[in-house]
Amino acid sequence: MTQTIFRCYDTSTRKNCNSTIVGNGIFDLIGTDEPCQTKSLGYVLARSEKAMKSFLKCIYGKKNREVAKLMDDKYSIDCELMLPKADGNSRLRADIVINFPQNKTVIIVEAKTVKNKCNVNDAISQGINYATLMRDNNLIDKETFDNKIVVGLTNDDECCPSGKVIKWSDIINSFDNIDDYLVTDYKNYLLKNSRYMNYYDVEVLSIPAGGSIKGVNKVGIYECPAKGRQFESRGKHRPLYMAFRGKGGLVENLYKVVELKKMPIEGSEYDKIKSNIDSEIFDKIDEYREIVAHNSNDEEEKWVFVLDIEKPIKLPNPVVYERNNTNVDISHGLSDYLSSPEENDKYKDVVESDKVVVFKTKKSQKDNDTEK
């Protein structure tokens, strides 16, 4: 059956008797601000078991047995749940509260708008306060409170030991393979309203390989300090792919960035966030720590790039930097790495082929980073 065309017009801001089309899905009728995005998610989770299952996998991990237990429960979902303030003078609203009565578990989702980056620690702290108010006002019992999971749903890459971090991109990706009109409609609604729909700022981040290449090739992990002039910009660039320069500035593969986290990989703070990290990433980090030399006493936050090493982009022709150095390079896009080569015998010592793509390296003040 052919689907009937539907368009929704904004008649409140007419100019020259013309109206603007603001959407063609059910969620466009609700609105586009933060509460509308959140309430719409709650509605999808309540009406689609497939969506709820995918959402729980974002929280617990794909292979966690807890997902099946919770899906068998008679759960309820409240959006914009009114809560009394501690002083009793006004009321607060919890974005999404999912109650699993048989499992004595509650999931509290504090969501920030899909349109901007927000501080995930603030979101989770807010959710914890809501959980405390629910307990204090007998909306949940102590056992359920002890089993609470507070989710910060933002566009932030940081980890938080007191709650679970989920990005809006995780929701979109988890809904990709669900054949359900309502879920697809919601996913498209999020994409239309997101300035981060590509979830990257630069196409390719190129860095000198150094000792880090072992972690990349064997595990698919690259990490560097999150602070300091040399390294801070690497994670902030939010790359789609990474290129690691070997001897003579040689690049033969591009690796897609699957996840980017700001987190410690050692010490007590790392131990605190272990349960909030996807088990696959946790296993990769542990394996990385076994094969790459690092300071086991370093508890500082790192940029942790999780890379897809199973499906790298094998460049049709080797790329060589004319002047290999320790600078980060973001000036060359994906098309540059796939561009036509030139015959050049100058790089015979690093490349077997006489056809190479040569990048003319320019020193950048913004990206003058040094490899560890």
Side-chain angles (χ1 to χ4, degrees):
M1 180 178 176
T2 304
Q3 192 176 71
T4 303
I5 295 173
F6 168 77
R7 290 184 285 263
C8 178
Y9 294 86
D10 180 4
T11 57
S12 63
T13 56
R14 289 182 177 179
K15 294 181 180 180
N16 300 323
C17 298
N18 293 323
S19 299
T20 304
I21 297 176
V22 295
N24 55 11
I26 187 172
F27 298 107
D28 296 307
L29 302 177
I30 298 174
T32 61
D33 59 11
E34 181 184 305
C36 295
Q37 295 161 12
T38 305
K39 287 185 286 186
S40 297
L41 174 60
Y43 181 79
V44 172
L45 297 180
R47 294 292 176 263
S48 170
E49 290 187 3
K50 292 179 180 178
M52 173 60 89
K53 188 174 183 179
S54 293
F55 181 72
L56 292 177
K57 286 181 179 179
C58 288
I59 297 175
Y60 289 96
K62 296 179 181 178
K63 299 179 181 179
N64 197 300
R65 295 179 180 178
E66 195 70 20
V67 173
K69 288 172 56 180
L70 295 179
M71 287 301 300
D72 286 338
D73 206 335
K74 293 183 179 180
Y75 53 85
S76 62
I77 298 177
D78 292 291
C79 294
E80 297 286 297
L81 180 63
M82 297 291 291
L83 300 172
K85 238 183 178 181
D87 56 16
N89 294 327
S90 58
R91 301 177 74 84
L92 301 172
R93 290 183 175 86
D95 287 345
I96 299 177
V97 177
I98 310 174
N99 214 327
F100 301 89
Q102 295 174 13
N103 286 274
K104 292 288 186 177
T105 299
V106 64
I107 296 176
I108 298 173
V109 182
E110 180 58 31
K112 301 302 179 183
T113 177
V114 69
K115 298 181 180 181
N116 298 297
K117 291 196 72 176
C118 303
N119 189 304
V120 71
N121 286 280
D122 291 345
I124 289 176
S125 295
Q126 195 171 341
I128 292 173
N129 289 337
Y130 291 161
T132 303
L133 284 171
M134 292 175 67
R135 181 200 60 191
D136 293 346
N137 288 275
N138 299 317
L139 296 177
I140 56 174
D141 57 29
K142 182 180 182 304
E143 185 178 353
T144 301
F145 176 80
D146 292 339
N147 290 332
K148 70 182 178 300
I149 294 180
V150 177
V151 175
L153 179 55
T154 74
N155 283 313
D156 200 286
D157 297 310
E158 294 188 35
C159 290
C160 181
S162 54
K164 176 69 180 181
V165 179
I166 297 180
K167 301 195 296 294
W168 282 105
S169 58
D170 298 328
I171 299 293
I172 293 172
N173 292 338
S174 72
F175 287 174
D176 268 350
N177 298 320
I178 298 179
D179 184 17
D180 181 289
Y181 177 80
L182 185 70
V183 177
T184 301
D185 193 17
Y186 181 66
K187 183 185 72 173
N188 292 336
Y189 161 80
L190 289 180
L191 288 171
K192 281 188 293 184
N193 287 287
S194 173
R195 295 187 303 180
Y196 292 94
M197 62 181 297
N198 289 322
Y199 303 101
Y200 64 88
D201 293 331
V202 299
E203 285 190 330
V204 183
L205 174 67
S206 170
I207 65 171
S212 58
I213 198 64
K214 290 182 181 179
V216 172
N217 291 338
K218 293 186 178 182
V219 188
I221 293 287
Y222 169 76
E223 57 89 12
C224 67
K227 295 181 180 178
R229 182 179 61 85
Q230 299 97 327
F231 303 105
E232 187 176 13
S233 67
R234 297 190 181 188
K236 289 184 175 180
H237 285 319
R238 296 164 59 97
L240 178 62
Y241 290 97
M242 292 190 74
F244 296 90
R245 305 197 297 271
K247 179 184 177 182
L250 174 65
V251 179
E252 297 182 291
N253 298 294
L254 299 181
Y255 298 96
K256 187 172 184 179
V257 178
V258 179
E259 285 279 353
L260 172 59
K261 301 284 188 183
K262 188 178 182 183
M263 55 178 283
I265 63 170
E266 294 286 356
S268 57
E269 290 302 311
Y270 175 61
D271 292 335
K272 290 179 182 178
I273 64 174
K274 279 182 181 179
S275 59
N276 295 324
I277 303 173
D278 187 284
S279 59
E280 293 181 13
I281 296 178
F282 170 72
D283 292 342
K284 285 178 180 289
I285 292 174
D286 274 4
E287 186 177 351
Y288 169 88
R289 298 193 307 175
E290 294 294 326
I291 64 175
V292 177
H294 65 286
N295 182 1
S296 59
N297 295 318
D298 184 3
E299 298 191 16
E300 293 295 321
E301 286 189 321
K302 311 286 185 183
W303 289 120
V304 178
F305 297 82
V306 183
L307 309 167
D308 184 355
I309 57 174
E310 300 298 326
K311 299 177 182 178
I313 295 181
K314 179 72 175 177
L315 298 180
N317 297 284
V319 167
V320 177
Y321 279 72
E322 184 181 55
R323 180 173 62 87
N324 189 30
N325 56 32
T326 58
N327 292 345
V328 160
D329 175 34
I330 60 170
S331 63
H332 295 93
L334 189 58
S335 61
D336 296 325
Y337 285 86
L338 303 175
S339 60
S340 300
E342 60 182 68
E343 293 188 6
N344 197 322
D345 294 332
K346 178 180 176 182
Y347 302 98
K348 280 289 188 181
D349 58 330
V350 294
V351 183
E352 294 181 2
S353 172
D354 60 352
K355 291 187 176 181
V356 297
V357 178
V358 181
F359 285 173
K360 298 185 183 298
T361 312
K362 293 182 180 179
K363 191 170 184 178
S364 168
Q365 293 298 321
K366 181 179 178 181
D367 303 299
N368 186 16
D369 296 350
T370 303
E371 170 66 343
K372 61 178 180 178

